[in-house]
Amino acid sequence: MNIHNASITVSAVNPKQYPSDGLREFAFAGRSNVGKSSLINKLLNRKSLARVSGTPGKTTTINFYNIDDTIYLVDLPGYGYAQRSKSETEKWGRMMEDYLANRAPLVQTILLVDGRHKPSKDDITMADWIRHYHDRLIVVATKFDKLKKSEIEPNLELIWDTLEMGEDDILVPFSTKDDEGKCSVWDMIEMMLLPEYGGEE
């Protein structure tokens, strides 16, 4: 995809703040510090449009990035940050479930997992949520540049099996160090915009 203009439209904390222009949305979900902001920056060829933090739990809003007034990439708050209070965790859960269940322009939620490790219980829960609200599970395994070549296939198999992925699901290894996975993610997004996949004519 050739990107000319990309900008953050809003960092929302409730549905009243979400964009109202009806552009289709592709959301990225994952645990805190899994690399959602880094992935968005890589996809958009930007260094710091999405704020990258070394501090887990930094993103507590739903951030909408407008791409050429065509689609939104949506950065969802990370989960699994142990130092969040119970009330914060419950608020996060309500925000996420409301967005996934009721957001009409949402085309697909894409799950990010750390490619170096077995998916966590929270990852499995998020995968189940995505299956409930979408036709397929799409998973991007981040930080693959940190793996040895001999670890890549076993780790992909571990992720696939742990999340109980099926024949219609998609797993993409991704690295911010090079362009591995970048074209695959854009190809999936463009595919889901086609009329036969529910996109507009």
Side-chain angles (χ1 to χ4, degrees), residues 18-193:
Y18 297 168
S20 59
D21 50 23
L23 295 181
R24 288 159 292 174
E25 298 169 7
F26 295 86
F28 296 93
R31 70 168 181 78
S32 297
N33 220 26
V34 75
K36 295 188 301 299
S37 298
S38 296
L39 178 141
I40 289 172
N41 284 331
K42 187 68 174 179
L43 291 176
L44 302 180
N45 297 318
R46 303 290 196 273
K47 288 187 177 180
S48 57
L49 179 61
R51 293 181 202 143
V52 178
S53 173
T55 305
K58 193 75 172 178
T59 302
T60 56
T61 56
I62 297 180
N63 298 326
F64 292 81
Y65 296 92
N66 182 305
I67 315 303
D68 289 329
D69 290 326
T70 303
I71 63 170
Y72 285 104
L73 299 186
V74 183
D75 187 5
L76 299 174
Y79 53 76
Y81 183 47
Q83 293 186 31
R84 279 209 181 110
S85 67
K86 183 178 179 181
S87 62
E88 286 179 314
T89 301
E90 290 175 349
K91 181 181 177 182
W92 175 92
R94 289 193 298 271
M95 181 192 296
M96 291 284 286
E97 190 156 18
D98 180 72
Y99 175 78
L100 291 172
N102 301 314
R103 186 61 178 162
L106 177 61
V107 177
Q108 178 71 41
T109 304
I110 298 169
L111 175 62
L112 273 65
V113 299
D114 190 328
R116 300 170 298 176
H117 307 297
K118 181 178 179 178
S120 67
K121 290 182 180 179
D122 288 330
D123 291 328
I124 294 170
T125 298
M126 192 71 229
D128 289 341
W129 273 17
I130 292 173
R131 283 193 188 93
H132 182 75
Y133 293 114
H134 299 293
D135 292 334
R136 65 176 64 83
L137 175 63
I138 297 177
V139 179
V140 174
T142 63
K143 307 187 181 185
F144 255 67
D145 53 281
K146 300 180 185 295
L147 290 175
K148 298 176 183 177
K149 285 188 176 180
S150 61
E151 296 174 323
I152 291 176
E153 284 304 320
N155 281 40
L156 286 173
E157 289 182 12
L158 180 63
I159 292 167
W160 187 278
D161 292 342
T162 302
L163 297 179
E164 298 182 349
M165 298 179 71
E167 60 181 15
D168 293 329
D169 299 332
I170 300 171
L171 175 59
V172 179
F174 192 91
S175 167
T176 56
K177 296 293 184 183
D178 50 40
D179 284 341
E180 181 178 6
K182 177 181 173 181
C183 291
S184 296
V185 173
W186 274 125
D187 286 347
M188 287 189 298
I189 290 173
E190 290 177 335
M191 175 191 73
M192 288 183 282
L193 292 172

